[in-house]
Amino acid sequence: MALGTELHDPSISRHAKDGVIKLYGAGGPHTAFKKVAEVWQKQTGNKVEIIAGPEKTWSHKAQADADIIWGTSEQSMTAFLETYQSFSSDQVDPIYVRPAIIAVKKGNPKKIASFEDLLKDGVKIVVTEGAGVSNTSGTGVWEDVAGRTGKLEEVRAFRKNIVAFAHGSGASFKAFKAKDADAWITWPNWPVTHPDALDAVDLSADRKIWRDVNVALAPDADTNAKAFLDYLVTEEAQKVMNTEGWVR
């Protein structure tokens, strides 16, 4: 049985119209969303709560009162819809995209400059992988990057250097530090929000993988929830989102 199905609890009653716009989703976009929400709250006086982290920590609450859920990839949102059954696929709207990057230690001591550097002997890599038990945007991204040019030997060499398959980006960051890793295939927001620990190395165009962040609005959402989603893609909000690598 899929994790989302296991988390679904049909006994939970909905009470979304509580005067607070509540967004739920995995960590990553939440830091930029919070910055946008702070501006919008000052402008409108409407309250917004951004609840993020591993799905199991907020799932039951979201089933009860989520106005909006976000997915950190399309495959992630598809899994969410199995659990949050007050939302449907035709309500999902992709609103931003961002590219996979290589996160390295602050100062880049291994002088990693490209994907090819990750194939060298002795390079320790962390990847994010749901492994069928966790809903994460990172699922399959390392394989997409490594296999992008259709060279099996590159996938093999890359895989040989993986020291941790972590279930989620937060777990990957912990593994990166615990394993004293040299590189982590992740998203631009992580080096931006952890500048004391990470630097970013861009992947070349022939390696770059893009995934979106998408949102779904509940049919019974608070009255102002749609207005917040509309603001989230305005030029003003885009400037904030761009600071953490999100583009339209």
Side-chain angles (χ1 to χ4, degrees):
M1 185 179 291
L3 179 63
T5 304
E6 290 176 348
L7 288 173
H8 177 63
D9 185 347
S11 71
I12 296 174
S13 59
R14 290 278 295 169
H15 47 86
K17 282 187 167 61
D18 55 6
V20 179
I21 301 166
K22 295 180 180 177
L23 290 77
Y24 290 85
H30 72 290
T31 50
F33 284 170
K34 285 182 177 179
K35 294 174 187 175
V36 174
E38 287 174 5
V39 175
W40 192 73
Q41 286 179 124
K42 289 178 181 178
Q43 292 179 359
T44 66
N46 297 313
K47 188 173 181 182
V48 179
E49 289 185 10
I50 311 291
I51 303 97
E55 184 182 8
K56 64 182 179 181
T57 65
W58 49 258
S59 179
H60 284 181
K61 286 188 64 181
Q63 289 175 63
D65 63 13
D67 297 293
I68 298 161
I69 56 172
W70 76 80
T72 47
S73 66
E74 287 295 329
Q75 57 87 21
S76 177
M77 176 59 85
T78 299
F80 280 160
L81 294 176
E82 295 291 321
T83 299
Y84 310 102
Q85 296 184 5
S86 54
F87 298 83
S88 63
S89 184
D90 59 4
Q91 296 162 339
V92 176
D93 183 21
I95 57 171
Y96 288 92
V97 293
R98 83 295 204 192
I101 57 137
I102 306 167
V104 298
K105 292 177 185 175
K106 185 69 178 178
N108 195 5
K110 279 282 178 75
K111 306 302 180 187
I112 292 167
S114 67
F115 170 82
E116 287 70 25
D117 290 332
L118 303 181
L119 307 182
K120 297 175 181 177
D121 289 342
V123 176
K124 295 187 290 185
I125 306 168
V126 170
V127 299
T128 306
E129 187 64 56
V133 298
S134 179
N135 187 350
T136 173
S137 60
T139 295
V141 171
W142 74 267
E143 181 181 4
D144 289 346
V145 171
R148 191 91 164 97
T149 61
K151 296 178 181 177
L152 181 61
E153 63 271 19
E154 291 182 341
V155 179
R156 282 178 163 170
F158 186 95
R159 197 182 203 287
K160 185 178 178 181
N161 285 345
I162 296 174
V163 296
F165 296 83
H167 298 169
S169 294
S172 294
F173 185 45
K174 291 178 182 177
F176 182 84
K177 293 184 288 185
K179 297 283 187 179
D180 192 30
D182 304 303
W184 167 27
I185 300 296
T186 187
W187 307 113
N189 57 284
W190 281 91
V192 170
T193 55
H194 298 84
D196 56 329
L198 300 172
D199 284 334
V201 175
D202 289 336
L203 288 160
S204 59
D206 63 338
R207 293 284 177 182
K208 197 163 289 188
I209 298 295
W210 295 78
R211 289 196 173 173
D212 67 47
V213 62
N214 44 69
V215 293
L217 179 69
D220 59 349
D222 271 287
T223 304
N224 294 311
K226 176 62 165 59
F228 177 68
L229 285 186
D230 290 342
Y231 177 74
L232 193 53
V233 296
T234 60
E235 288 188 12
E236 185 176 27
Q238 286 179 48
K239 291 177 182 178
V240 176
M241 297 295 293
N242 290 166
T243 65
E244 296 193 13
W246 301 96
V247 298
R248 280 176 64 82

